[in-house]
Amino acid sequence: NLNPLILFPSLSSSILPLCPNSHPSPPPTPAPLSLSSPSDVSPWDVALCVTGTLISCENALVIAVLFYTPTLRAPMFILIGSLACADLLAGLGLILNFVFTYLVKGEVVTLVSTGILIVAFSASILNILAITVDRYLSLYNALTYHTERTVLFTYLVIGLIWLVGLILGVLPALGWNCLDDETTCSVCRPVTKSNAVALAIFFLLVFAVMMQLYLQICRIAFRHAQQIAVQHQFIAISTTKGVQTLSVILCAFAMCWLPFAMYSIVADSSYPIIYTYATVLPVACNSVINPIIYAFRNPDIQKGLWLACCGCVPSNLSLRPRARTSSDV
């Protein structure tokens, strides 16, 4: 059982026997590592902490640009901001996990760190789903999208997303944990095996819905291309680019999350810790990729970044607001 997060303090029990200076004899129960020597610090934990720092910096930049740019108040930008907040919380959770693992020990901090990470990653996944639905509606109801998709409705959706994340995050603190019975632990201590399986199935359902929506988006885009014969060349190029973008988004999401979801279903705390680290790190990397896919590619956010950094906008970025396309988020 691994400890790439404080989600995984049980991993330290597998590492301690390799560090003879840590304890004269193996402890009766898993405990976080102590910093008795530099060799006690797992390089995997360092990698997760560094990844968390990168996640925090990226998403803090996105939030700052959205907050200080008055023109970025449309529903799609609000959803991007909510996703950035979730990923920022995930990055801070990874940093806190490192601190809690090596400097602060106890069941309370374990449950706190676990709750933060569950809230953050659950909200991140649900925000990605909401962005996918938003993209689908912008194509399916292209003529009425801007009148039906109000800011108030978007805030209600975001509130529901964070409510679900908070409910999932407090479950371990309410007793849904394996602190009293280590044999029931999943690869993510102190989450129980049954709860980990439920969360993994929840992710797989979200992924299935996203895949279906992206298929519908591709069909709508190609149908529009066929209906507009006058602009056939332009639409064909735009549609091809949009489909390629959607494929990259879906593949990136799948590669980051599917290994961990499947591993959580088949494995438990008795499996080698290296497997947990190897599947958790891509999950963290998804929060690194999200700002690139959903924020930094958007021309309107690019303009905000240029204005914030140097007070100017490159000639290839028009100051005029653009219409949204199927390749935008």
Side-chain angles (χ1 to χ4, degrees), residues 33 43 54 70 109 185 210 238 244 247 257 260:
L33 294 174
L54 178 59
V109 294
C185 283
M210 286 180 58
S238 177
Q244 291 174 347
S247 299
W257 276 99
F260 179 70

Side-chain angles (χ1 to χ4, degrees), residues 125-140:
I125 291 174
L126 290 174
N127 274 295
I128 291 175
L129 175 62
I131 290 174
T132 305
V133 174
D134 181 71
R135 179 188 283 112
Y136 170 76
L137 292 176
S138 70
L139 287 174
Y140 184 76

Side-chain angles (χ1 to χ4, degrees), residues 134-145 215-240 242-243 246 324-327:
D134 181 71
R135 179 188 283 112
Y136 170 76
L137 292 176
S138 70
L139 287 174
Y140 184 76
N141 296 322
L143 297 178
T144 60
Y145 167 81
L215 289 175
Q216 294 297 324
I217 288 172
C218 292
R219 291 174 183 172
I220 294 172
F222 281 118
R223 186 167 65 247
H224 287 177
Q226 294 172 353
Q227 291 173 348
I228 309 177
V230 176
Q231 302 177 1
H232 178 72
Q233 183 179 3
F234 170 78
I235 295 296
I237 295 173
S238 177
T239 301
T240 301
V243 171
L246 299 182
R324 186 177 180 183
T325 68
S326 62
S327 62

Side-chain angles (χ1 to χ4, degrees), residues 116-202:
I116 291 174
L117 290 167
I118 291 177
V119 170
F121 285 122
S122 299
S124 180
I125 291 174
L126 290 174
N127 274 295
I128 291 175
L129 175 62
I131 290 174
T132 305
V133 174
D134 181 71
R135 179 188 283 112
Y136 170 76
L137 292 176
S138 70
L139 287 174
Y140 184 76
N141 296 322
L143 297 178
T144 60
Y145 167 81
H146 293 288
T147 56
E148 293 178 350
R149 188 68 162 161
T150 63
V151 172
L152 176 60
F153 178 77
T154 304
Y155 279 120
L156 292 176
V157 171
I158 291 174
L160 179 61
I161 288 172
W162 283 95
L163 177 62
V164 172
L166 287 171
I167 292 174
L168 295 176
V170 300
L171 289 180
L174 295 178
W176 294 38
N177 60 69
C178 62
L179 294 177
D180 296 330
D181 185 3
E182 298 290 336
T183 61
T184 63
C185 283
S186 67
V187 294
C188 305
R189 184 181 182 275
V191 178
T192 62
K193 171 69 175 179
S194 59
N195 291 340
V197 170
L199 290 173
I201 293 175
F202 164 74

